[in-house]
Amino acid sequence: MNLVLFDFDKTIINRDTGAAYVKFMVCRNPMRLSMCFITTPLYIPFLLHKNTKFIGFSIILWLATFGMSIKKVVRLRRSFIRRYLNESATIIFKDAVQHLQLHTSNADQVVVVSGASQWMVKAIFVAASLPKVEFVCSEEAHLFGGFICKSHCYASNKVKRVRKLYNLEKYDSIIGYSDSSVDIPILKLCDRRYIVNPKARCFEKFSKSFNKTMSVLNWV
């Protein structure tokens, strides 16, 4: 049996889902939008570095949800998913769906490993009737009246989460799909690596790390 690891944003879907959700939550309320603008100097420095990115995201997420009941947040999450998937700018790559179907029909263990929050990745899979897979994603928690990023499944943290949850020695091979050079650490675990629609800068980093031991996929 193979272990197949898929990134989500810009690998299965063409957008940054977490950023779209935060924008949706902030822009729906002028007061919250103003607070996010005023506090920009506080969170921007955190967003510029991959090791502290989750702190900046947590600040914005907390401002976007502070004072809301959990029921209201859940209701807004559902509204976001519906709107997000109905927007013409949102595309789930047909090639990604085909590869997901191929691996699941092959009885591979398929895991989506994403920096996006687990609730949103799961909700999109359900709403879009995508194949049944497992999820290892970022998690949110309720703190002092708002939501924050509890754990950020990003960069080298993906490796830690996957190693903790799966015995990598038991698989015949490990296969990875990603668009981002941030995922080089987890792709190093893989026997086969597929790079999806890479931008020039990311392709250079992938090439330095893997040379010819990777394949490039142009998904639509």
Side-chain angles (χ1 to χ4, degrees):
M1 180 172 64
N2 300 318
L3 177 65
V4 186
L5 307 173
F6 278 86
D7 180 35
F8 183 67
D9 288 332
K10 301 181 182 178
T11 298
I12 293 174
I13 200 165
N14 71 321
R15 298 174 64 186
D16 185 329
T17 307
Y21 170 65
V22 168
K23 182 179 179 180
F24 166 80
M25 292 294 283
V26 169
C27 292
R28 57 179 296 278
N29 185 303
M31 184 175 294
R32 294 182 191 277
L33 181 60
S34 297
M35 286 301 297
C36 285
F37 179 76
I38 292 168
T39 56
T40 297
L42 176 62
Y43 60 78
I44 284 294
F46 293 112
L47 294 174
L48 297 177
H49 303 281
K50 64 181 181 181
N51 292 333
T52 59
K53 195 173 182 179
F54 77 100
I55 299 175
F57 179 75
S58 288
I59 294 171
I60 303 171
L61 183 61
W62 188 87
L63 289 169
T65 56
F66 174 71
M68 292 184 186
S69 68
I70 293 176
K71 285 184 178 180
K72 183 173 182 179
V73 172
V74 170
R75 189 165 62 248
L76 287 170
R77 286 176 176 179
R78 293 195 190 108
S79 178
F80 163 72
I81 295 297
R82 286 194 300 270
R83 181 180 297 190
Y84 185 58
L85 291 178
N86 284 331
E87 289 176 358
S88 60
T90 303
I91 298 170
I92 295 175
F93 295 123
K94 293 179 182 178
D95 293 318
V97 176
Q98 290 176 358
H99 278 72
L100 287 165
Q101 291 171 337
L102 175 66
H103 286 297
T104 53
S105 65
N106 193 41
D108 293 332
Q109 190 164 1
V110 181
V111 186
V112 174
V113 188
S114 176
S117 295
Q118 186 146 313
W119 69 263
M120 64 180 70
V121 180
K122 279 187 173 182
I124 288 170
F125 263 71
V126 171
S129 299
L130 297 178
K132 290 184 179 180
V133 300
E134 298 174 25
F135 301 94
V136 178
C137 306
S138 296
E139 297 175 342
E140 296 176 18
H142 197 254
L143 181 69
F144 300 129
F147 279 85
I148 62 166
C149 182
K150 178 183 177 183
S151 64
H152 197 200
C153 190
Y154 185 74
S156 59
N157 285 340
K158 288 189 176 184
V159 177
K160 294 175 185 176
R161 293 282 302 279
V162 168
R163 284 192 179 279
K164 183 178 180 180
L165 294 169
Y166 300 93
N167 176 12
L168 303 184
E169 303 301 321
K170 78 173 187 178
Y171 298 99
D172 297 325
S173 67
I174 303 175
I175 303 167
Y177 294 82
S178 179
D179 72 292
S180 174
S181 58
V182 172
D183 283 334
I184 285 174
I186 197 164
L187 290 174
K188 285 182 176 180
L189 297 179
C190 300
D191 303 296
R192 283 184 278 162
R193 308 170 187 91
Y194 295 99
I195 312 304
V196 178
N197 301 345
K199 293 182 179 178
R201 187 175 179 183
C202 283
F203 182 76
E204 288 180 12
K205 293 181 180 180
F206 280 129
S207 297
K208 287 180 182 178
S209 295
F210 303 123
N211 197 6
K212 296 180 180 180
T213 61
M214 65 179 191
S215 299
V216 175
L217 302 174
N218 295 308
W219 280 0
V220 293

